[in-house]
């Protein structure tokens, strides 16, 4: 079936380094993607989104890259800080029925920032 | 402040008991969703509602029920038919069911433990 998946379950980076979190998707019709950050025991928080008519989008310290050819997107975090430690999920907008859409989530990557 | 409120944050239940998780939003969003999260897993869609008095099953609806009598409220009942109910439950809402507005706003979650 179609799914959203992540290449690595955990990622450890040193404070100040850049982090790259990867995500693969299998539905070539997917046209909208979101990255969420989830801290322990809390609900996911929106980080950044990108539509399929774009290859790159930048936010504050974060950049999302979309490669439609290989159905891959990545989240880059610049100058990673201890507060960035969390689980990161990619999600794709998914058509459910004539009633509308929901988000399909990957399993998540745990990012650990070490001093 | 606008947002999504879930209650209770922690809930314990004996086997065979039904339990209802509350979700209220004051964001004036049309669409509301329930997701389930298991340790080390992504979010899986239980039920969703794109408009008042209407809701649809998601990927793992068996053993759950919902209602959407008011725009602001979307309670989830975990019934005794749910074989493995221990999990972290997340409620979310979005502005519209229309394509391209896929960003979901999440509550802080309810952790259900069956004893």
């Amino acid at each position: 079936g179609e799914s959203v998946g992540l290449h690595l379950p955990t990622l450890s980076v040193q404070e100040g380094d850049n982090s790259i979190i990867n995500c693969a998707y299998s539905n070539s019709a997917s046209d909208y993607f979101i990255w969420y950050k989830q801290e322990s025991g809390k609900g996911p928080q929106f980080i950044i989104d990108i539509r399929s008519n774009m290859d790159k989008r930048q936010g504050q310290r974060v950049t999302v890259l979309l490669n439609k050819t290989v159905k891959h997107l990545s989240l880059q975090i610049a100058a990673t800080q201890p507060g960035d430690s969390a689980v990161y999920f990619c999600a794709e907008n998914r058509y459910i029925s004539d009633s509308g859409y929901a988000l399909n989530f990957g399993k998540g990557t745990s990012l650990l920032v070490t001093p | 402040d606008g947002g999504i409120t879930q209650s209770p944050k922690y809930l314990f239940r004996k086997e065979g008991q039904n339990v209802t998780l509350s979700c209220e939003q004051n964001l004036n969003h049309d669409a509301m969703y329930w997701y389930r999260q298991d340790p080390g897993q992504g979010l899986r869609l239980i039920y969703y509602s794109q408009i008042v008095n209407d809701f649809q099953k998601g990927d793992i609806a068996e053993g759950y029920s919902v209602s959407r009598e008011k725009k602001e409220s979307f309670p989830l009942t975990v019934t005794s038919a749910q074989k493995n109910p221990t999990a972290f439950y997340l409620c979310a809402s979005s502005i519209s069911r229309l394509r391209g507005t896929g960003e979901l706003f999440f509550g802080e979650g309810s952790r259900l433990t069956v004893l």
Side-chain angles (χ1 to χ4, degrees):
Chain A
E2 295 167 346
S3 64
V4 178
L6 288 142
H7 292 300
L8 293 173
T10 59
L11 178 64
S12 182
V13 299
Q14 207 158 11
E15 183 178 355
D17 288 350
N18 295 337
S19 303
I20 299 176
I21 301 171
N22 295 305
C23 180
Y25 64 95
S26 56
N27 182 5
S28 56
S30 295
D31 64 354
Y32 180 67
F33 305 88
I34 304 179
W35 282 98
Y36 280 91
K37 172 186 180 183
Q38 186 179 27
E39 296 176 348
S40 181
K42 295 188 175 182
Q45 291 180 296
F46 172 89
I47 302 174
I48 192 168
D49 60 2
I50 189 168
R51 301 192 189 281
S52 59
N53 61 353
M54 303 171 71
D55 297 324
K56 179 180 180 179
R57 191 160 189 226
Q58 288 184 295
Q60 189 176 14
R61 283 202 306 121
V62 294
T63 301
V64 55
L65 299 178
L66 176 62
N67 186 332
K68 294 179 286 293
T69 303
V70 296
K71 290 182 284 188
H72 179 273
L73 68 159
S74 66
L75 177 70
Q76 300 178 1
I77 304 174
T80 313
Q81 302 168 359
D84 294 328
S85 292
V87 176
Y88 290 81
F89 293 95
C90 65
E92 61 179 342
N93 208 19
R94 164 191 156 200
Y95 174 76
I96 297 181
S97 67
D98 289 342
S99 298
Y101 292 78
L103 286 179
N104 192 35
F105 285 82
K107 287 190 166 62
T109 291
S110 178
L111 176 65
L112 177 63
V113 182
T114 58
Chain B
D1 286 350
I4 301 177
T5 302
Q6 290 187 240
S7 62
K9 190 169 177 63
Y10 299 96
L11 187 60
F12 297 89
R13 185 193 97 176
K14 293 181 180 179
E15 280 193 28
Q17 288 181 334
N18 292 355
V19 61
T20 297
L21 307 180
S22 170
C23 178
E24 303 278 332
Q25 55 99 359
N26 60 5
L27 300 167
N28 199 33
H29 285 173
D30 285 326
M32 297 187 74
Y33 309 81
W34 275 104
Y35 284 87
R36 169 181 171 141
Q37 186 175 28
D38 293 287
Q41 299 291 316
L43 283 64
R44 292 183 290 168
L45 184 64
I46 305 173
Y47 265 98
Y48 65 101
S49 168
Q50 304 285 359
I51 199 166
V52 175
N53 292 322
D54 187 42
F55 51 83
Q56 284 79 37
K57 294 181 179 180
D59 301 312
I60 56 166
E62 184 176 351
Y64 299 98
S65 66
V66 293
S67 63
R68 186 87 186 276
E69 297 175 2
K70 298 187 299 181
K71 187 176 185 177
E72 301 80 18
S73 179
F74 191 42
L76 173 74
T77 296
V78 185
T79 75
S80 57
Q82 168 50 233
K83 298 195 186 324
N84 186 19
T86 295
F88 190 50
Y89 290 89
L90 286 158
C91 179
S93 70
S94 65
I95 294 173
S96 167
R97 62 187 175 94
L98 297 177
R99 186 172 185 156
T101 55
E103 180 186 348
L104 300 187
F105 295 81
F106 283 88
E108 291 292 278
S110 293
R111 187 169 299 280
L112 172 63
T113 302
V114 174
L115 304 173

Coordinates of all heavy atoms in Angstrom, one line a residue, chain A residues 33-111:
Chain A
F33 N 3.1 18.3 1.6 CA 3.8 17.6 2.6 C 4.0 18.5 3.8 O 4.2 19.7 3.6 CB 5.1 17.1 2.1 CG 5.0 16.2 0.9 CD1 5.0 16.7 -0.4 CD2 4.9 14.8 1.0 CE1 4.8 16.0 -1.5 CE2 4.7 14.0 -0.1 CZ 4.7 14.6 -1.4
I34 N 4.1 17.9 5.0 CA 4.3 18.7 6.2 C 5.3 18.0 7.0 O 5.3 16.8 7.1 CB 3.0 18.9 7.0 CG1 1.9 19.5 6.1 CG2 3.2 19.8 8.2 CD1 0.6 19.7 6.9
W35 N 6.1 18.8 7.7 CA 7.0 18.3 8.8 C 6.4 18.8 10.1 O 6.1 19.9 10.3 CB 8.4 18.8 8.6 CG 9.2 18.0 7.6 CD1 9.4 18.4 6.3 CD2 9.9 16.8 7.7 NE1 10.2 17.5 5.6 CE2 10.5 16.5 6.5 CE3 10.0 15.9 8.8 CZ2 11.2 15.3 6.3 CZ3 10.7 14.7 8.6 CH2 11.3 14.4 7.4
Y36 N 6.4 17.8 11.1 CA 5.9 18.1 12.4 C 7.1 17.7 13.4 O 7.8 16.8 13.2 CB 4.7 17.3 12.8 CG 3.4 17.8 12.3 CD1 2.9 17.4 11.0 CD2 2.7 18.7 13.0 CE1 1.7 17.9 10.5 CE2 1.5 19.2 12.5 CZ 1.0 18.8 11.3 OH -0.2 19.3 10.8
K37 N 7.1 18.4 14.5 CA 8.0 18.1 15.6 C 7.1 17.7 16.8 O 6.2 18.4 17.1 CB 8.8 19.4 16.0 CG 9.6 19.3 17.2 CD 10.3 20.6 17.5 CE 11.2 20.6 18.8 NZ 11.7 21.9 19.1
Q38 N 7.5 16.6 17.5 CA 6.8 16.2 18.6 C 7.7 16.0 19.8 O 8.6 15.1 19.7 CB 6.0 14.9 18.4 CG 5.1 14.5 19.5 CD 4.4 13.2 19.2 OE1 4.8 12.3 18.5 NE2 3.2 13.0 19.9
E39 N 7.5 16.8 20.8 CA 8.3 16.6 22.1 C 7.6 15.6 22.9 O 6.4 15.3 22.8 CB 8.4 17.9 22.8 CG 9.2 18.9 22.0 CD 9.3 20.3 22.6 OE1 8.5 20.6 23.6 OE2 10.1 21.1 22.1
S40 N 8.4 15.0 23.8 CA 7.9 13.9 24.6 C 6.6 14.2 25.4 O 6.5 15.2 26.1 CB 8.9 13.4 25.6 OG 8.5 12.4 26.4
G41 N 5.6 13.4 25.2 CA 4.3 13.6 25.9 C 3.4 14.7 25.4 O 2.4 15.1 26.1
K42 N 3.8 15.3 24.3 CA 3.0 16.4 23.7 C 2.5 16.1 22.3 O 2.8 15.1 21.7 CB 3.9 17.6 23.7 CG 4.3 18.1 25.0 CD 5.0 19.5 24.9 CE 5.3 20.0 26.3 NZ 5.9 21.4 26.2
G43 N 1.6 16.9 21.9 CA 1.1 16.8 20.5 C 2.1 17.3 19.5 O 2.9 18.2 19.8
P44 N 2.0 16.9 18.3 CA 2.9 17.4 17.2 C 2.7 18.8 16.9 O 1.5 19.3 17.0 CB 2.5 16.5 16.0 CG 1.9 15.3 16.5 CD 1.2 15.8 17.8
Q45 N 3.8 19.5 16.6 CA 3.7 20.9 16.2 C 4.2 21.1 14.8 O 5.2 20.5 14.4 CB 4.6 21.8 17.2 CG 4.1 21.8 18.6 CD 5.0 22.7 19.4 OE1 6.2 22.3 19.6 NE2 4.6 23.8 19.9
F46 N 3.5 21.9 14.1 CA 3.8 22.2 12.7 C 5.2 22.9 12.6 O 5.5 23.8 13.4 CB 2.7 23.1 12.1 CG 3.0 23.7 10.8 CD1 2.7 23.0 9.6 CD2 3.7 24.9 10.6 CE1 2.9 23.5 8.4 CE2 3.9 25.4 9.4 CZ 3.6 24.7 8.2
I47 N 6.0 22.5 11.7 CA 7.3 23.1 11.5 C 7.3 23.9 10.1 O 7.5 25.1 10.1 CB 8.5 22.1 11.4 CG1 8.5 21.3 12.7 CG2 9.8 22.8 11.2 CD1 9.6 20.2 12.7
I48 N 7.0 23.1 9.1 CA 7.1 23.7 7.7 C 6.4 22.8 6.8 O 6.3 21.6 7.0 CB 8.6 23.9 7.3 CG1 8.7 24.8 6.0 CG2 9.3 22.6 7.1 CD1 10.1 25.3 5.7
D49 N 5.8 23.4 5.7 CA 5.2 22.6 4.7 C 5.7 22.9 3.3 O 6.4 23.9 3.1 CB 3.6 22.8 4.7 CG 3.2 24.2 4.5 OD1 4.1 25.1 4.3 OD2 2.0 24.5 4.6
I50 N 5.4 22.1 2.3 CA 5.8 22.3 1.0 C 4.8 21.7 0.0 O 4.3 20.6 0.3 CB 7.2 21.8 0.7 CG1 7.7 22.2 -0.7 CG2 7.3 20.3 0.8 CD1 9.2 22.0 -0.8
R51 N 4.5 22.4 -1.1 CA 3.6 21.8 -2.1 C 4.5 21.2 -3.2 O 5.6 21.6 -3.4 CB 2.7 22.9 -2.6 CG 1.8 23.5 -1.5 CD 0.7 24.4 -2.0 NE 0.1 25.1 -0.9 CZ -0.8 24.6 -0.1 NH1 -1.1 23.3 -0.3 NH2 -1.3 25.3 0.8
S52 N 3.9 20.4 -4.0 CA 4.6 19.6 -5.0 C 5.1 20.5 -6.2 O 5.9 20.1 -7.0 CB 3.8 18.5 -5.6 OG 2.6 19.0 -6.1
N53 N 4.6 21.7 -6.3 CA 5.1 22.6 -7.3 C 6.3 23.4 -6.9 O 6.8 24.3 -7.6 CB 4.0 23.6 -7.8 CG 3.5 24.5 -6.6 OD1 3.9 24.3 -5.5 ND2 2.7 25.4 -6.9
M54 N 6.9 23.0 -5.7 CA 8.1 23.6 -5.2 C 9.1 22.5 -5.0 O 8.8 21.4 -4.7 CB 7.8 24.3 -3.9 CG 6.7 25.4 -4.0 SD 6.3 26.0 -2.4 CE 7.7 27.0 -2.0
D55 N 10.4 22.9 -5.0 CA 11.5 22.0 -4.7 C 12.1 22.3 -3.4 O 12.7 21.4 -2.8 CB 12.6 22.1 -5.8 CG 12.2 21.7 -7.2 OD1 11.3 20.8 -7.2 OD2 12.6 22.4 -8.1
K56 N 11.9 23.5 -2.9 CA 12.6 23.9 -1.7 C 11.8 25.0 -1.0 O 11.2 25.9 -1.7 CB 14.0 24.5 -2.1 CG 14.8 25.0 -0.9 CD 16.1 25.5 -1.4 CE 17.0 26.0 -0.3 NZ 18.3 26.5 -0.8
R57 N 11.8 25.0 0.3 CA 11.1 26.0 1.1 C 11.9 26.2 2.3 O 12.3 25.3 3.0 CB 9.7 25.6 1.4 CG 8.9 26.8 1.9 CD 7.4 26.6 1.8 NE 6.7 27.8 2.1 CZ 5.7 27.9 2.9 NH1 5.2 26.8 3.5 NH2 5.1 29.0 3.2
Q58 N 12.1 27.5 2.7 CA 12.9 27.8 3.9 C 12.0 28.5 4.9 O 11.2 29.3 4.6 CB 14.1 28.7 3.5 CG 15.1 28.0 2.7 CD 16.3 28.8 2.4 OE1 16.2 29.8 1.7 NE2 17.5 28.5 2.9
G59 N 12.4 28.1 6.2 CA 11.8 28.8 7.3 C 12.9 29.3 8.2 O 14.0 29.4 7.8
Q60 N 12.5 29.5 9.4 CA 13.6 30.0 10.4 C 14.4 28.8 10.8 O 13.9 27.9 11.5 CB 12.9 30.6 11.6 CG 13.9 31.3 12.5 CD 13.2 32.0 13.7 OE1 12.0 31.8 13.9 NE2 13.9 32.9 14.3
R61 N 15.6 28.7 10.4 CA 16.6 27.7 10.7 C 16.2 26.3 10.0 O 16.9 25.3 10.2 CB 16.8 27.4 12.2 CG 17.7 28.4 12.8 CD 18.3 27.9 14.1 NE 17.2 27.4 15.1 CZ 17.2 26.1 15.5 NH1 18.1 25.2 15.1 NH2 16.2 25.8 16.3
V62 N 15.1 26.2 9.3 CA 14.7 25.0 8.7 C 14.5 25.1 7.2 O 14.1 26.2 6.8 CB 13.4 24.4 9.4 CG1 13.7 24.0 10.8 CG2 12.3 25.4 9.2
T63 N 14.8 24.1 6.5 CA 14.6 24.0 5.1 C 14.1 22.7 4.7 O 14.5 21.7 5.2 CB 16.0 24.2 4.3 OG1 16.5 25.5 4.7 CG2 15.8 24.2 2.8
V64 N 13.1 22.7 3.9 CA 12.5 21.4 3.4 C 12.9 21.3 1.9 O 12.7 22.3 1.1 CB 11.0 21.2 3.7 CG1 10.2 22.4 3.1 CG2 10.5 19.9 3.1
L65 N 13.4 20.2 1.5 CA 13.7 19.9 0.1 C 12.8 18.8 -0.4 O 12.6 17.8 0.3 CB 15.1 19.5 -0.1 CG 16.2 20.5 0.4 CD1 17.6 19.9 0.2 CD2 16.0 21.8 -0.4
L66 N 12.2 18.9 -1.6 CA 11.4 17.9 -2.2 C 11.9 17.5 -3.5 O 12.2 18.3 -4.4 CB 9.9 18.5 -2.4 CG 8.9 17.6 -3.0 CD1 8.7 16.3 -2.2 CD2 7.6 18.3 -3.3
N67 N 12.1 16.2 -3.7 CA 12.6 15.6 -4.9 C 11.5 14.7 -5.4 O 11.4 13.5 -5.0 CB 13.9 14.9 -4.7 CG 14.5 14.3 -6.0 OD1 13.8 14.1 -7.0 ND2 15.8 14.2 -6.0
K68 N 10.7 15.1 -6.3 CA 9.6 14.4 -6.8 C 10.0 13.2 -7.7 O 9.3 12.2 -7.8 CB 8.6 15.3 -7.6 CG 8.0 16.3 -6.7 CD 7.0 17.2 -7.5 CE 7.8 18.2 -8.3 NZ 8.5 19.2 -7.5
T69 N 11.2 13.3 -8.3 CA 11.7 12.3 -9.2 C 11.9 11.0 -8.4 O 11.5 9.9 -8.9 CB 13.0 12.7 -9.8 OG1 12.8 13.9 -10.6 CG2 13.5 11.6 -10.8
V70 N 12.5 11.1 -7.2 CA 12.7 9.9 -6.4 C 11.8 9.8 -5.2 O 11.9 9.0 -4.3 CB 14.2 9.8 -5.9 CG1 15.1 9.7 -7.1 CG2 14.5 11.1 -5.1
K71 N 10.8 10.7 -5.2 CA 9.8 10.7 -4.1 C 10.4 10.7 -2.7 O 10.2 9.8 -1.9 CB 8.8 9.5 -4.3 CG 7.9 9.6 -5.5 CD 7.0 8.5 -5.6 CE 7.7 7.2 -6.2 NZ 6.7 6.1 -6.5
H72 N 11.1 11.8 -2.5 CA 11.9 11.9 -1.3 C 11.8 13.4 -0.8 O 11.9 14.3 -1.6 CB 13.4 11.5 -1.6 CG 14.3 11.7 -0.4 ND1 14.9 12.8 -0.1 CD2 14.6 10.8 0.5 CE1 15.7 12.7 1.0 NE2 15.5 11.4 1.4
L73 N 11.7 13.6 0.5 CA 11.8 14.9 1.0 C 12.7 14.9 2.2 O 12.8 13.8 2.9 CB 10.5 15.6 1.3 CG 9.6 15.1 2.4 CD1 8.6 16.2 2.8 CD2 8.8 13.9 1.9
S74 N 13.3 16.0 2.5 CA 14.2 16.1 3.7 C 13.9 17.4 4.5 O 13.4 18.4 3.9 CB 15.6 16.0 3.3 OG 16.0 17.1 2.5
L75 N 14.2 17.3 5.7 CA 14.2 18.5 6.6 C 15.6 18.8 7.1 O 16.2 17.9 7.7 CB 13.3 18.2 7.8 CG 13.2 19.3 8.8 CD1 12.4 20.5 8.3 CD2 12.5 18.8 10.1
Q76 N 16.0 20.0 6.8 CA 17.3 20.4 7.3 C 17.2 21.4 8.4 O 16.4 22.4 8.2 CB 18.1 21.0 6.1 CG 18.3 20.0 5.0 CD 19.1 20.6 3.8 OE1 19.5 21.7 3.8 NE2 19.3 19.8 2.8
I77 N 17.9 21.2 9.5 CA 17.9 22.1 10.6 C 19.3 22.7 10.7 O 20.2 21.9 10.9 CB 17.4 21.4 11.9 CG1 16.1 20.7 11.7 CG2 17.4 22.4 13.1 CD1 15.6 19.9 13.0
A78 N 19.4 24.0 10.7 CA 20.7 24.6 10.8 C 21.0 24.9 12.2 O 20.1 25.2 13.0 CB 20.7 25.9 10.0
A79 N 22.3 24.8 12.5 CA 22.8 25.1 13.9 C 21.9 24.5 14.9 O 21.3 25.2 15.8 CB 22.9 26.6 14.0
T80 N 21.8 23.2 14.9 CA 20.9 22.4 15.8 C 21.2 22.8 17.3 O 22.3 22.9 17.8 CB 21.1 20.9 15.6 OG1 21.1 20.7 14.2 CG2 20.0 20.2 16.2
Q81 N 20.1 23.0 18.0 CA 20.1 23.4 19.4 C 19.5 22.3 20.3 O 18.8 21.4 19.8 CB 19.4 24.7 19.6 CG 19.8 25.8 18.8 CD 18.9 27.0 18.8 OE1 17.8 26.9 19.4 NE2 19.3 28.0 18.0
P82 N 19.9 22.2 21.6 CA 19.3 21.2 22.4 C 17.7 21.2 22.4 O 17.1 20.1 22.5 CB 19.8 21.6 23.8 CG 21.1 22.3 23.6 CD 20.9 23.1 22.3
G83 N 17.1 22.3 22.2 CA 15.7 22.4 22.1 C 15.1 21.7 20.9 O 13.9 21.6 20.8
D84 N 16.0 21.4 20.0 CA 15.5 20.7 18.8 C 15.3 19.2 19.0 O 14.8 18.5 18.1 CB 16.5 20.9 17.6 CG 16.6 22.4 17.2 OD1 15.5 23.1 17.3 OD2 17.7 22.8 16.7
S85 N 15.8 18.7 20.1 CA 15.7 17.3 20.4 C 14.2 16.9 20.5 O 13.4 17.5 21.3 CB 16.3 16.9 21.7 OG 17.7 17.1 21.6
A86 N 13.8 16.0 19.7 CA 12.3 15.6 19.6 C 12.2 14.5 18.5 O 13.2 14.1 17.9 CB 11.5 16.8 19.2
V87 N 11.0 14.1 18.3 CA 10.7 13.2 17.2 C 10.1 14.0 16.1 O 9.2 14.9 16.3 CB 9.7 12.1 17.6 CG1 9.4 11.2 16.4 CG2 10.3 11.2 18.7
Y88 N 10.6 13.8 14.9 CA 10.2 14.6 13.7 C 9.4 13.6 12.7 O 9.9 12.5 12.4 CB 11.4 15.2 13.0 CG 12.0 16.3 13.8 CD1 12.9 16.0 14.8 CD2 11.6 17.6 13.6 CE1 13.4 17.0 15.6 CE2 12.2 18.6 14.3 CZ 13.0 18.3 15.4 OH 13.6 19.4 16.1
F89 N 8.2 14.1 12.3 CA 7.4 13.3 11.4 C 7.2 14.0 10.1 O 7.0 15.3 10.1 CB 6.0 13.1 12.0 CG 6.0 12.2 13.2 CD1 6.0 12.8 14.5 CD2 5.9 10.8 13.1 CE1 5.9 12.0 15.6 CE2 5.8 10.0 14.2 CZ 5.8 10.6 15.5
C90 N 7.3 13.3 9.0 CA 6.8 13.9 7.8 C 5.4 13.3 7.6 O 5.0 12.2 8.0 CB 7.7 13.6 6.6 SG 7.8 11.8 6.2
A91 N 4.6 14.1 6.9 CA 3.2 13.7 6.6 C 2.8 14.2 5.2 O 3.3 15.2 4.7 CB 2.3 14.3 7.6
E92 N 2.0 13.4 4.6 CA 1.5 13.8 3.2 C 0.0 13.9 3.3 O -0.7 13.2 4.0 CB 1.9 12.7 2.2 CG 1.3 11.3 2.4 CD 1.7 10.3 1.4 OE1 2.1 10.8 0.3 OE2 1.6 9.1 1.6
N93 N -0.5 14.9 2.5 CA -1.9 15.1 2.4 C -2.5 14.0 1.6 O -2.0 13.7 0.5 CB -2.2 16.4 1.7 CG -3.5 17.0 2.1 OD1 -4.0 16.7 3.1 ND2 -4.0 18.0 1.3
R94 N -3.5 13.4 2.1 CA -4.0 12.1 1.6 C -5.5 12.2 1.3 O -6.3 12.6 2.2 CB -3.7 11.0 2.5 CG -4.4 9.7 2.3 CD -4.2 8.8 3.6 NE -5.2 7.9 3.8 CZ -5.5 7.3 4.9 NH1 -4.8 7.6 6.0 NH2 -6.4 6.4 5.0
Y95 N -5.9 11.9 0.1 CA -7.3 12.0 -0.3 C -8.0 10.8 0.4 O -7.6 9.6 0.2 CB -7.4 11.9 -1.8 CG -8.9 11.8 -2.2 CD1 -9.7 12.9 -2.2 CD2 -9.4 10.6 -2.7 CE1 -11.0 12.8 -2.6 CE2 -10.7 10.5 -3.1 CZ -11.5 11.6 -3.1 OH -12.8 11.5 -3.5
I96 N -9.1 11.0 1.1 CA -9.8 9.9 1.7 C -11.1 9.6 1.0 O -11.3 8.5 0.6 CB -10.2 10.3 3.2 CG1 -8.9 10.5 4.0 CG2 -11.0 9.2 3.8 CD1 -9.2 10.9 5.4
S97 N -11.9 10.6 0.7 CA -13.1 10.4 0.0 C -13.6 11.7 -0.5 O -12.9 12.7 -0.3 CB -14.1 9.7 0.9 OG -14.5 10.6 2.0
D98 N -14.8 11.8 -1.0 CA -15.4 13.0 -1.4 C -15.5 14.0 -0.2 O -15.7 15.2 -0.3 CB -16.7 12.8 -2.0 CG -16.6 12.2 -3.4 OD1 -15.5 12.2 -4.0 OD2 -17.6 11.7 -3.9
S99 N -15.4 13.4 1.0 CA -15.5 14.2 2.2 C -14.3 15.0 2.5 O -14.3 15.9 3.3 CB -15.8 13.3 3.4 OG -17.0 12.7 3.3
G100 N -13.2 14.7 1.8 CA -12.0 15.5 2.0 C -10.7 14.7 2.2 O -10.6 13.6 1.8
Y101 N -9.8 15.4 3.0 CA -8.5 14.9 3.1 C -8.1 14.7 4.6 O -8.6 15.3 5.5 CB -7.5 15.9 2.4 CG -7.6 15.9 1.0 CD1 -8.7 16.6 0.4 CD2 -6.7 15.3 0.1 CE1 -8.8 16.7 -1.0 CE2 -6.9 15.3 -1.3 CZ -7.9 16.0 -1.8 OH -8.0 16.1 -3.2
A102 N -7.1 13.9 4.8 CA -6.4 13.8 6.1 C -4.9 13.7 5.8 O -4.5 13.7 4.7 CB -6.9 12.6 6.9
L103 N -4.2 13.6 6.9 CA -2.7 13.5 6.8 C -2.3 12.1 7.1 O -2.8 11.5 8.0 CB -2.0 14.5 7.7 CG -2.0 15.9 7.4 CD1 -1.3 16.8 8.4 CD2 -1.4 16.2 6.0
N104 N -1.4 11.6 6.3 CA -0.8 10.3 6.5 C 0.6 10.5 7.0 O 1.4 11.1 6.3 CB -0.8 9.5 5.1 CG -0.4 8.1 5.3 OD1 -0.8 7.4 6.3 ND2 0.3 7.5 4.3
F105 N 0.9 9.9 8.2 CA 2.2 10.1 8.9 C 3.2 9.0 8.7 O 2.8 7.8 8.7 CB 1.9 10.4 10.4 CG 1.3 11.7 10.7 CD1 -0.1 11.9 10.6 CD2 2.1 12.7 11.1 CE1 -0.6 13.1 10.9 CE2 1.5 14.0 11.4 CZ 0.2 14.1 11.3
G106 N 4.4 9.3 8.7 CA 5.5 8.3 8.8 C 5.7 8.0 10.2 O 5.1 8.5 11.1
K107 N 6.7 7.1 10.4 CA 6.9 6.6 11.8 C 7.7 7.5 12.7 O 7.7 7.4 13.9 CB 7.7 5.2 11.7 CG 6.8 4.1 11.3 CD 7.5 2.7 11.5 CE 6.5 1.6 11.3 NZ 5.9 1.4 10.1
G108 N 8.4 8.4 12.1 CA 9.1 9.4 12.8 C 10.6 9.1 13.0 O 11.0 8.0 12.9
T109 N 11.4 10.2 13.1 CA 12.8 10.1 13.4 C 13.1 10.8 14.7 O 12.7 12.0 14.9 CB 13.7 10.7 12.3 OG1 13.6 9.9 11.1 CG2 15.1 10.8 12.7
S110 N 13.8 10.1 15.6 CA 14.1 10.8 16.9 C 15.4 11.5 16.8 O 16.5 10.9 16.4 CB 14.2 9.7 18.0 OG 14.6 10.3 19.2
L111 N 15.4 12.8 17.0 CA 16.6 13.6 16.9 C 17.2 13.9 18.3 O 16.4 14.4 19.2 CB 16.4 14.9 16.2 CG 17.5 15.9 16.1 CD1 18.7 15.3 15.3 CD2 17.0 17.2 15.6

